[in-house]
Amino acid sequence: MERNLVILFIPFLFLFIGMEIVFSWYRNLRLYSFGDSLNNLATGISNQIFIVVFHSITIAGYLWIYFNWRIFDLPTWSDQPVWWMPSQEFFGVPAIHWSWGIVILTWLACLFLYELAYYWNHRFSHEVNFLWAGHIVHHQSEEYNLGVAFRQASFRGLFTWVFYLPLAVVGFPPVVMALVGQLSLIYQFLIHTKWIQKLPNWFEAIFNTPSHHRVHHGINPKYINKNYGGMFIFFDKWFGTFELEEEEPKYGITTQLKSFNPLWANLHYWWEMFDLAKNSTSWKDRAKVLFANPGWTPQTVSQSQTNFESKPNTFKKYDVILPKGLTIYSIFWSCLTLSGSLSALIMVSEIPTVLLHTIFFISILSFACIGGICDLRKWALYLEPIRLLHLSYLAFTFFQGSSITFSVWGLTLLSWVWLFVYRRSFTF
């Protein structure tokens, strides 16, 4: 597996998030909320976990088309000759200069075409229900900060990889395609901020900026389904989806998630579509639920039976006030889970598959339980002890007789007591 630049960038993103939190506290801006921030980090790590799990599926199509159907042999680096590149001098220009020029053009062309594919991928992800079900996770946060950049869907890549197959047909090498995509994603991380109001006019005219992207995340009627660009904004201007930031955006989704559980964040819209299809009496409408625009209601279902609504003017942020003890508990286990998951992702090629998938499973389960605690859901009182018991079993299995085993057992016992003390706080 090629080195993932996004994984390597995550520690720097944590640093930038910390700086923004300090800035927010110093200016009393309240850019972050506790439950939302934990959910952002959990969904981000979950996204990277599922990228590793589904890696062979999402890249198989690109690799097959590239190796069997590509039109051109495009170079990756300057020392990679291809049949149509000059071998000595051409018009008095040394071959090495030609090769570097062609490599640079290859990377620039890949960036342009990748961003074009990303635009349509992103646009259809807002206009087609089953694609929106994957992308909606990124829009659920009712805040706008660098932590929101971390918030990515787990299953979206299973559907969107097809948008990039034309680049394989052209002949862009997989490593070029992968690195361009990762650089584009890293750039997009950095525009999720309220720090920067406007950048120079020439930059705002070409590139996606914090101002443009705040519009994209807004649920104000004039902002919905606008500014789909990744690194560039001119595609939106070309295709009629550009909107300037004028009024202050209100963030989130119009149906409101009302949960800090990352597992439910990834599944809730699928459940809404299933419920909509179940309540419909027409098989045609049931099939159309997958491909209709978000918010579409079958004629055989009354509006009162659906959860779709758009009330940005009366929008109130979802929040749950945790007792201080449960806040400490959630932070402690979140830090352990995030650090363990991130370490596994960084060393993914060095960890045995069985152990890697075990770490991934316990990470997802931990994120779900912590989300349930942040929502004060009563089911968390039952699932969290099971998670702790499973964690103790895993410690005994993989680290039998070591100090790690006894440390985990001690944490498990202490956590059980802690939950018992705060059991009456779970009211939902």
Side-chain angles (χ1 to χ4, degrees):
M1 184 181 296
E2 297 292 338
R3 181 66 70 181
N4 191 330
L5 296 182
V6 175
I7 295 296
L8 298 179
F9 178 73
I10 286 176
F12 296 98
L13 182 59
F14 282 147
L15 175 63
F16 296 148
I17 290 173
M19 293 169 60
E20 190 174 48
I21 290 173
V22 172
F23 175 82
S24 170
W25 171 80
Y26 179 74
R27 292 290 185 89
N28 196 29
L29 296 178
R30 298 183 180 179
L31 298 178
Y32 285 79
S33 65
F34 176 73
D36 180 79
S37 298
L38 288 187
N39 200 4
N40 291 340
L41 296 175
T43 50
I45 291 293
S46 299
N47 163 264
Q48 292 300 311
I49 287 174
F50 279 98
I51 285 177
V52 172
V53 172
F54 297 140
H55 183 75
S56 59
I57 298 174
T58 55
I59 69 168
Y62 192 95
L63 292 175
W64 187 83
I65 290 177
Y66 174 78
F67 286 115
N68 293 280
W69 293 93
R70 69 181 184 271
I71 299 173
F72 301 107
D73 287 315
L74 299 175
T76 304
W77 314 115
S78 63
D79 59 351
Q80 180 185 346
V82 292
W83 65 268
W84 47 270
M85 290 170 60
S87 57
Q88 301 297 326
E89 279 194 3
F90 196 65
F91 291 110
V93 179
I96 185 64
H97 293 164
W98 276 98
S99 63
W100 269 112
I102 293 171
V103 167
I104 291 171
L105 285 175
T106 296
W107 283 79
L108 289 177
C110 185
L111 175 61
F112 179 85
L113 293 176
Y114 175 90
E115 289 296 315
L116 177 61
Y118 176 88
Y119 170 86
W120 286 106
N121 167 10
H122 197 182
R123 181 168 176 172
F124 279 116
S125 294
H126 281 255
E127 297 177 351
V128 180
N129 251 344
F130 82 94
L131 294 176
W132 176 238
H135 182 55
I136 193 174
V137 177
H138 184 60
H139 285 266
Q140 291 161 347
S141 175
E142 294 162 9
E143 310 292 346
Y144 191 80
N145 51 54
L146 289 172
V148 175
F150 212 81
R151 189 187 190 100
Q152 301 291 331
S154 295
F155 310 119
R156 186 182 180 217
L158 289 174
F159 310 111
T160 57
W161 60 274
V162 296
F163 286 90
Y164 304 102
L165 295 184
L167 280 76
V169 175
V170 174
F172 291 104
V175 65
V176 176
M177 165 67 180
L179 290 176
V180 163
Q182 290 170 23
L183 289 172
S184 175
L185 183 58
I186 289 172
Y187 175 87
Q188 291 177 64
F189 279 158
L190 301 176
I191 61 177
H192 290 79
T193 181
K194 290 182 179 179
W195 277 21
I196 302 170
Q197 291 302 307
K198 293 283 186 178
L199 291 167
N201 290 338
W202 68 267
F203 198 92
E204 294 272 346
I206 299 172
F207 294 97
N208 199 5
T209 63
S211 176
H212 297 327
H213 204 58
R214 285 193 292 267
V215 167
H216 178 69
H217 275 260
I219 59 170
N220 313 46
K222 65 184 294 184
Y223 290 163
I224 290 177
N225 293 343
K226 300 293 183 181
N227 297 2
Y228 294 113
M231 288 184 67
F232 303 122
I233 200 63
F234 49 74
F235 291 118
D236 287 282
K237 296 180 179 180
W238 292 354
F239 299 118
T241 54
F242 176 71
E243 185 70 40
L244 275 173
E245 183 184 30
E246 294 175 338
E247 61 191 55
E248 183 178 356
K250 296 178 182 178
Y251 304 105
I253 55 175
T254 56
T255 52
Q256 248 188 326
L257 178 64
K258 294 185 178 180
S259 174
F260 296 130
N261 187 335
L263 189 60
W264 181 239
N266 277 280
L267 297 176
H268 87 100
Y269 197 77
W270 292 101
W271 178 257
E272 286 186 11
M273 287 196 297
F274 172 79
D275 194 51
L276 196 60
K278 183 182 68 174
N279 290 325
S280 174
T281 58
S282 165
W283 281 104
K284 181 180 178 180
D285 283 345
R286 288 172 181 168
K288 191 176 178 180
V289 165
L290 283 173
F291 304 98
N293 291 327
W296 173 79
T297 304
Q299 292 182 349
T300 52
V301 176
S302 67
Q303 187 68 37
S304 61
Q305 289 177 278
T306 71
N307 293 321
F308 298 118
E309 57 181 338
S310 179
K311 299 178 180 178
N313 293 329
T314 58
F315 192 81
K316 184 178 179 181
K317 291 181 181 180
Y318 172 75
D319 198 12
V320 175
I321 306 301
L322 292 181
K324 186 175 293 186
L326 288 181
T327 300
I328 295 171
Y329 184 93
S330 300
I331 291 175
F332 175 78
W333 278 109
S334 292
C335 288
L336 280 185
T337 305
L338 288 168
S339 59
S341 304
L342 185 56
S343 298
L345 288 167
I346 292 174
M347 300 185 296
V348 66
S349 60
E350 304 168 19
I351 300 177
T353 302
V354 173
L355 178 58
L356 185 67
H357 288 177
T358 300
I359 294 173
F360 287 167
F361 173 78
I362 196 64
S363 297
I364 299 298
L365 180 60
S366 297
F367 289 140
C369 288
I370 294 167
I373 291 171
C374 289
D375 287 333
L376 293 179
R377 302 291 180 183
K378 289 183 178 179
W379 57 259
L381 281 174
Y382 302 96
L383 187 59
E384 176 67 356
I386 294 174
R387 178 189 76 91
L388 294 168
L389 189 62
H390 182 56
L391 191 62
S392 297
Y393 169 76
L394 293 178
F396 177 76
T397 302
F398 290 103
F399 306 103
Q400 188 172 7
S402 71
S403 59
I404 295 178
T405 302
F406 294 105
S407 297
V408 172
W409 285 0
L411 283 176
T412 297
L413 183 60
L414 179 61
S415 296
W416 279 348
V417 173
W418 203 290
L419 283 175
F420 181 79
V421 171
Y422 285 96
R423 68 190 185 283
R424 299 189 187 279
S425 300
F426 294 80
T427 55
F428 297 102

